Structure formats: structure tokens, C-alpha cells
Amino acid sequence: MEKKLFQAESKRLLEMMIHSIYSNKEIFLRELISNSSDAIDKIYYRALTDDALTFNQDDYYIKLSIDKENRKLKVEDTGIGMTKEELEENLGTIAQSGSLAFKNENELKDGHDIIGQFGVGFYSAFMVADQVTVISKALGSEEAYKWESSGADGYTIEPTTKETVGTEIILTIKENTEEENYDEFLEEYRIQSIIKKYSDFIRYPIKMDVTESKLKEGTEDEYEEVKEEKTLNSMVPIWRKNKSELTDEDYENFYAEKRYGFDKPLAHIHTSVDGAIRYNAILYIPEKMPFDYYSKEFEKGLELYSSGVLIMEKCPELLPDYFSFVKGMVDSEDLSLNISREILQQDRQLKRIANNIEKKIKSELQSMLKNDREKYETFYEAFGRQLKFGVYSDYGMHKDVLQDLLMFSSSKENKLVTLDEYVSRMPEEQKYIYYASGDSIARIEKLPQTEVLREKGYEILYFTEDVDEFAIKMLMNYKEKEFRSVASGDLGLEDQEQKEKEASEETEDNKELFKALKEILSGKVKDVRASKRLRSHPVCLSTDGEITIEMEKILQAMPDNQNVQAEKILEINTNHEVFQSLKSAFETDKDKLNLYTNLLYNQALLIEGLPVQDPVEFTNDICKVMV
């Protein structure tokens, strides 16, 4: 018997596995059960292609045995088994997955799902065991082999005897320590609870001899303990169970078991449809965004089953892009197993399921918004951006689906508000839904352009994400109320006409001055005007046309920007003392007028978060004013 060493990388990974990768030690049993289920699935798949082999599901099972005295826990299966080479390849190299390789080679389109990996998951056994022994006899082989390891030091493989095809994994459970109680993994009730928690829907029976107290034969009140073999799992997929039988914990366990995410879902949707199209679905709305959500590596889609058989691990056609954060599965009896994936993607039934799922997701989100605001805001913090992208994409095709789900920060409340909430409290005379854009709420609140609206008590929505204004431009209006930027030339205020008249008269009275200012800023602004919106501030920028200053900043930051510019208007508060300084300079000192004009323009740029074109000149100008 020759002792072999793990590869250096494998040894390091095994040490990590034992000490840190899994924080919850009970997970080891889930991994071993999944591997056993895989091994039986492989025989099932072999039977599909080998006429000499018949698959009678009643002959296949997983058996657990506890030997408390010798601290042994055994997991035995009647699966396909492993040859000596497979033992060495799959167990001698950590993270080498026999199941994954089998799946890739055979492209299981109509077979059972290979749910585990004889690789990293298998080594979770060392979290609870001092020694792991694997005895396996492969299908079609006369020989059996024993693989044994006590951890990172290495392993041995030697011939052994085994009458039946399959694999036995024997764990020698560690002794208790001050921090850890390993005895629990030798207790029947604990093993039963772990199986129920993680492996209840495994399609093959998981059996164990369970101790029960029974009335002693021939007596009326004497009881004795007897061992009886029991099946620990229901073998009924969770999605086929009655919703009334299931708890939130059951759904959360299924979420974790299927590795949909490392968080806890905020909500689940369990739907069963039995009509023109029949299907079961369990959908989850996650709490947190996956780390790769906005990367090209992220794949959206739901697991797609037909009569319990996995067809696609991720079926993107079942989810629109704006709901791509949803996780879960769909099982339909109306999808043919032998059609190709390309045809399946265009299948009419699939499209009908997708339409129904979209409605279910929207309904769940609306219900969450109405009945559990805090939970919805947690969701929106993670995925609100995606909803906004959905409004903007495809030329606004989906805006009617998504507009009632949107939320923005507001000047009225220090929290998110919906468009419906905004419109419902608009004063009768208010014509538009007002918004202001900026890098942060703190910066927006200081914008001079908001003064006149605050003075009238009108609510302003705060747009702080780059997609916000683009989405609103696509939305155009909500409940027949147009959106209007605080920097817009026309704010639609009741006294606007009077203000415009006053501003026009002021501009006319100082026609030559404004003409001079415009010439000084030639090429930088479209026009210089007397402001009708400023109260305490001396200057601000507004825009003409569809492109706002915030949109310009975003477009300019793009790699392939076309130098898109907003049509900027420099507005000057003619009631501010600064304007008197401008008038005086215009009459007596043209150099000082030039200095003041450039200073005011650069101040307006800084207020908007735009870069000053020549910082050195700007600082020199400030120095000139100070001396």
C-alpha cells in the first residue's frame, strides 16, 4: 500500500476547507448526500443509452449508518461507483469534479441533474472527521478499492472487497473540544434534522435505522426501544408540495441549497398554474446584489425543468432584463424533452410562462411596496437602478410596467418617495413634476436653481444616479404631469409671466451690459440673461434644449463620447449686489468687467460640479480681486 501526497495547491485548499471555507459544519452531510445522488443519476443516464442496462428506481437508495461506539458515520449509495483511476482523479486532486466532467462530456439535456461535485464539497467531510474512508466498486468492474485519508498529509488507495456496485464513505468523527461538539453528528435526531433541512427533495430515498419506542408485545404499558429502517426524506420536490405545508424556513433552505445566493431572500413567490399552460415555479427576490451583477460574467435566468427533469440551468428567456435579479426555477409538464435548445428558446409555451412570471414579479414588488415599505426600500437600494435601466432601455417600451415601482429621494421627506406619492400631494396650481440632478443630495440641496421652487413650497425629486435623468426623459410624464428640471428655462410657475417680464425688462435696460457679458463668454455659453429664479445667489447656469448639464457630464465621461454639450445659459441675479459691481465695471473699467464675468462663470461651473477650464487663471483672478 503506497501513501500518496496531495498536490501542493490541493493541500492548501484542504487546509482552508477544514478551517474556514464552510462556517457551518453540518453542511458536510448535504455535500455527501448530493454526491451519492449524483452517482445514482449517472446510472440512470447510462441506462438511457445502454439497452443492456435497466434502471428500476426502487433499487436505488442512499443509506446512513451510525456506529456511536466507534464514532463512525457511514454514507452508502447504490450508484455507479468509482474505479481506482477515478478515485485517484476525483479524490486525489481537490476541486477535480467527476460529476462536472461527466455532465460536460454528456451534455445532460434530458437526464437527471448532476447536483454535486466530487471535489471541494467532498472534502467538507474533514471538518468533522479525523479520517475519511471511501470504499467503491464501479459499475461493470469486478474489483473494489479503498481510498483513505486523514487530511492534508495525503491518502492511500488499495484493493478491497465489496459485493455490490456503489460507494461507501465512512467518517471517523472527531472527538469533542471545548469549542465544538462533534458528538451531535453521531445522534440520530441530529442526522434526521440535517437531512430534512438540506436534502428533503433528493429524488432517491435516504434511509437510516432509527430508534423508536414501541409498546412491548403482550403488554399494555411496557415500552421497548427498537430499530426500524425509515426513509428520512420526502423525495417530493419542494415546488410540487402544497404551499400550506411549507414554511418560510423551507423556502430559505431551498434558496441556500440551490445556491441562488449567500443572502436570505426578501420574498418568495410560489405559483402553480394548471390551465392552458401548466407549470410550477418558485421565484425569489434577493436581498443583496450579486458581486458580479453588472459584469459580463453575470448570467440571468431561471432553472427550467420539464416534469422534474432539468433542461437548462439558466433559461434567460424566462426573465426580462429589468427583472434579471430574480432567482428560482420553473417546472412545466408542457415542454417537450426532445426539442433542441434553440427551438425551446422560441417555444410559444415558454413565452407564455415568461409573461405570467413577469406579472407575478411585478405584483409581488407592488405588494411589498404597499405592505412592507422597509423591505421594499431594502430591495430598491440593491436593484432600483436596474428598474430605471428597464425604463430607459428599448426606447421606453417597458415604462408602463415599471413606472409605479420607481422611487427617488425628495425635498419634502428625508426618504424615498414614489411618483404616485409625489403627484398625489401636488398643489392644484403646480403644473410639473420638478427634479434636480447632482452627485449627491447634499450638493443638490445647495443648488441656486431650487430657490424659487422651495420658496413656493413645491416638492423636488433628487436625481443622484447617472441613469435617473435618462430614464425620466424616456418616461416623459406620469399621470399626465410632465417632468421638468429645476434648471429648465420654463418652470411653469403662476407668476412666471411677471418674472419673465421683469427679467426681460432688466435685460433690455442693461442690453449693452448683457451683450458685453455674452461676448466675453463667447463659445462657453449660448446666452447671458437676467434670472427669474434666483433669490439669494448671484449666478447660476440653466439650459436650453433636451440635454441637461448632468446628462452632459455623464455623456462626456463615456469612452466613446461625441463631445455632446448642453446649451448653457448664464443667469445673473439682477437684485444681487454683485450685479451692481458688474454695472459699475461696465461703465468704468472693462478689464475689471472681464475679470468679474469670468469669475462668475467659473463659480457657476463649480456649483454644477463641472470642471473649471483653466484652474490657474481662475486662482489668479481670485487673487486679483483680493489685492
Side-chain angles (χ1 to χ4, degrees):
M1 180 176 65
E2 178 187 356
K3 181 148 188 173
K4 302 188 178 184
L5 297 177
F6 291 116
Q7 295 177 3
E9 295 82 358
S10 299
K11 183 176 179 180
R12 283 196 297 273
L13 185 55
L14 178 54
E15 288 169 346
M16 287 171 59
M17 172 67 67
I18 295 170
H19 296 112
S20 64
I21 286 183
Y22 288 119
S23 58
N24 189 359
K25 286 182 167 49
E26 68 183 25
I27 216 80
F28 83 94
L29 192 54
R30 181 192 72 183
E31 297 297 325
L32 297 184
I33 293 291
S34 294
N35 290 336
S36 294
S37 178
D38 284 351
I40 301 173
D41 281 343
K42 289 176 184 178
I43 288 189
Y44 167 81
Y45 184 73
R46 183 78 63 85
L48 294 178
T49 56
D50 186 350
D51 293 338
L53 188 63
T54 57
F55 184 86
N56 181 1
Q57 186 151 336
D58 294 339
D59 296 335
Y60 297 93
Y61 59 87
I62 299 161
K63 179 73 183 281
L64 304 178
S65 305
I66 297 173
D67 179 354
K68 235 176 181 180
E69 188 176 337
N70 295 303
R71 301 190 70 78
K72 305 285 187 187
L73 174 64
K74 181 163 73 172
V75 180
E76 180 182 359
D77 67 63
T78 56
I80 202 165
M82 286 179 282
T83 63
K84 179 182 178 183
E85 291 74 20
E86 288 169 334
L87 279 168
E88 184 150 3
E89 183 179 359
N90 294 338
L91 305 188
T93 305
I94 296 181
Q96 169 69 31
S97 168
S99 295
L100 184 60
F102 179 86
K103 185 174 186 179
N104 291 340
E105 287 168 13
N106 293 281
E107 290 190 70
L108 292 185
K109 294 176 184 173
D110 59 351
H112 284 24
D113 182 22
I114 302 297
I115 57 177
Q117 292 184 9
F118 241 131
V120 173
F122 166 76
Y123 281 87
S124 62
F126 284 100
M127 293 191 298
V128 301
D130 285 324
Q131 184 180 70
V132 178
T133 303
V134 179
I135 298 172
S136 193
K137 183 177 181 179
L139 181 68
S141 174
E142 296 298 321
E143 299 170 322
Y145 290 90
K146 180 170 77 171
W147 180 99
E148 198 162 62
S149 174
S150 297
D153 289 340
Y155 61 93
T156 60
I157 296 181
E158 61 180 325
T160 189
T161 57
K162 189 176 187 304
E163 291 185 9
T164 57
V165 170
T167 300
E168 298 175 16
I169 302 174
I170 304 154
L171 311 183
T172 303
I173 302 298
K174 293 178 180 180
E175 296 288 345
N176 289 342
T177 66
E178 288 184 12
E179 295 83 20
E180 300 288 350
N181 173 28
Y182 292 102
D183 284 355
E184 64 176 318
F185 302 118
L186 295 167
E187 298 291 343
E188 290 178 10
Y189 75 90
R190 184 73 175 100
I191 297 300
Q192 289 181 79
S193 69
I194 295 173
I195 295 299
K196 190 72 177 171
K197 181 176 181 180
Y198 293 110
S199 306
D200 193 45
F201 60 89
I202 291 289
R203 75 183 82 247
Y204 307 108
I206 303 170
K207 302 179 180 180
M208 187 170 76
D209 291 338
V210 176
T211 304
E212 291 192 336
S213 183
K214 286 199 168 184
L215 191 64
K216 197 171 184 180
E217 194 174 338
T219 69
E220 292 183 2
D221 55 2
E222 285 188 47
Y223 288 85
E224 61 180 349
E225 289 190 343
V226 296
K227 289 238 179 197
E228 284 190 357
E229 185 179 79
K230 289 186 67 175
T231 298
L232 306 182
N233 60 321
S234 69
M235 292 176 287
V236 178
I238 185 174
W239 57 86
R240 289 186 183 166
K241 292 183 179 180
N242 194 310
K243 284 182 270 189
S244 62
E245 300 174 20
L246 300 167
T247 64
D248 287 343
E249 188 178 5
D250 292 325
Y251 289 110
E252 287 172 9
N253 289 338
F254 184 65
Y255 183 85
E257 176 68 24
K258 298 300 288 182
R259 297 177 177 88
Y260 291 142
F262 296 104
D263 58 340
K264 278 192 176 182
L266 284 172
H268 65 264
I269 305 164
H270 187 173
T271 180
S272 299
V273 177
D274 191 4
I277 177 89
R278 293 172 298 166
Y279 67 90
N280 296 298
I282 297 180
L283 311 171
Y284 293 97
I285 296 172
E287 179 183 32
K288 295 177 182 174
M289 181 193 299
F291 72 92
D292 61 347
Y293 188 62
Y294 284 114
S295 73
K296 61 182 180 181
E297 283 77 26
F298 179 79
E299 293 180 79
K300 71 162 183 170
L302 302 175
E303 291 180 320
L304 180 62
Y305 293 80
S306 180
S307 301
V309 177
L310 183 70
I311 297 176
M312 296 177 71
E313 288 187 8
K314 287 187 184 289
C315 182
E317 286 73 26
L318 287 170
L319 288 175
D321 283 344
Y322 44 86
F323 289 154
S324 59
F325 48 81
V326 173
K327 303 288 186 181
M329 52 70 55
V330 173
D331 183 13
S332 174
E333 298 177 10
D334 296 327
L335 299 174
S336 173
L337 283 176
N338 56 13
I339 56 178
S340 71
R341 290 178 187 231
E342 289 72 30
I343 296 172
L344 179 61
Q345 289 168 359
Q346 304 302 322
D347 188 78
R348 187 182 303 168
Q349 302 287 52
L350 198 67
K351 289 180 179 178
R352 292 176 70 176
I353 295 174
N355 288 337
N356 289 346
I357 284 173
E358 179 188 30
K359 292 172 186 173
K360 281 285 183 183
I361 295 168
K362 181 183 176 182
S363 176
E364 179 63 31
L365 290 174
Q366 285 180 311
S367 175
M368 192 190 297
L369 174 59
K370 181 181 178 182
N371 302 316
D372 196 336
R373 181 64 169 252
E374 186 177 345
K375 187 181 285 188
Y376 186 81
E377 289 185 12
T378 300
F379 152 77
Y380 197 80
E381 203 67 38
F383 300 108
R385 183 183 182 87
Q386 188 66 15
L387 300 184
K388 296 170 192 173
F389 276 127
V391 171
Y392 174 68
S393 64
D394 296 330
Y395 304 99
M397 278 179 58
H398 317 293
K399 61 184 182 181
D400 291 340
V401 176
L402 300 171
Q403 60 184 0
D404 288 319
L405 299 174
L406 299 181
M407 301 185 85
F408 300 95
S409 295
S410 154
S411 61
K412 282 266 183 178
E413 301 182 50
N414 190 24
K415 65 176 186 179
L416 295 167
V417 302
T418 66
L419 297 177
D420 183 63
E421 288 165 346
Y422 181 103
V423 170
S424 68
R425 57 190 180 220
M426 282 174 60
E428 192 175 337
E429 75 277 5
Q430 185 178 336
K431 294 180 182 178
Y432 302 119
I433 300 172
Y434 296 109
Y435 68 87
S437 303
D439 298 335
S440 67
I441 291 174
R443 171 167 273 177
I444 293 173
E445 286 179 331
K446 295 175 182 176
L447 286 176
Q449 296 93 322
T450 64
E451 283 187 315
V452 65
L453 294 171
R454 292 179 190 280
E455 187 180 80
K456 294 188 74 66
Y458 290 170
E459 188 172 5
I460 303 169
L461 297 177
Y462 294 157
F463 290 179
T464 56
E465 289 194 309
D466 51 11
V467 69
D468 288 348
E469 207 164 0
F470 291 90
I472 289 304
K473 291 284 185 185
M474 200 61 72
L475 201 56
M476 294 171 54
N477 61 72
Y478 180 80
K479 293 192 174 178
E480 300 180 351
K481 295 289 185 181
E482 286 185 39
F483 292 91
R484 189 59 55 98
S485 168
V486 297
S488 170
D490 177 16
L491 292 176
L493 302 178
E494 272 196 343
D495 56 355
Q496 188 84 358
E497 286 186 15
Q498 179 61 29
K499 290 291 181 186
E500 284 180 5
K501 184 180 177 184
E502 292 173 2
S504 178
E505 290 173 354
E506 195 70 58
T507 304
E508 189 61 33
D509 291 344
N510 297 279
K511 183 178 180 180
E512 294 304 317
L513 169 58
F514 280 103
K515 183 180 177 182
L517 298 178
K518 184 176 178 181
E519 286 176 2
I520 293 169
L521 298 175
S522 177
K524 297 177 180 177
V525 297
K526 180 183 176 183
D527 200 3
V528 181
R529 301 171 187 164
S531 179
K532 52 186 178 289
R533 78 186 78 225
L534 291 174
R535 295 294 182 267
S536 62
H537 288 77
V539 69
C540 75
L541 285 174
S542 62
T543 57
D544 275 355
E546 289 298 311
I547 304 297
T548 66
I549 290 171
E550 282 304 310
M551 293 172 78
E552 175 190 307
K553 286 195 281 185
I554 294 161
L555 294 170
Q556 291 280 12
M558 291 181 176
D560 59 344
N561 81 79
Q562 304 296 315
N563 197 30
V564 177
Q565 302 252 347
E567 294 182 341
K568 301 181 188 71
I569 309 296
L570 185 69
E571 294 192 9
I572 296 175
N573 185 354
T574 55
N575 295 317
H576 199 281
E577 55 263 31
V578 162
F579 184 65
Q580 300 308 315
S581 299
L582 281 173
K583 287 176 71 173
S584 175
F586 175 65
E587 293 168 0
T588 61
D589 191 337
K590 294 295 190 279
D591 288 339
K592 188 173 281 188
L593 178 67
N594 192 73
L595 172 66
Y596 288 172
T597 303
N598 282 313
L599 273 173
L600 286 172
Y601 172 67
N602 283 321
Q603 284 178 17
L605 290 177
L606 290 172
I607 289 169
E608 294 296 333
L610 290 168
V612 172
Q613 293 169 349
D614 190 339
V616 174
E617 183 183 38
F618 178 56
T619 54
N620 288 338
D621 286 347
I622 292 174
C623 290
K624 288 175 187 176
V625 173
M626 295 174 69
V627 295

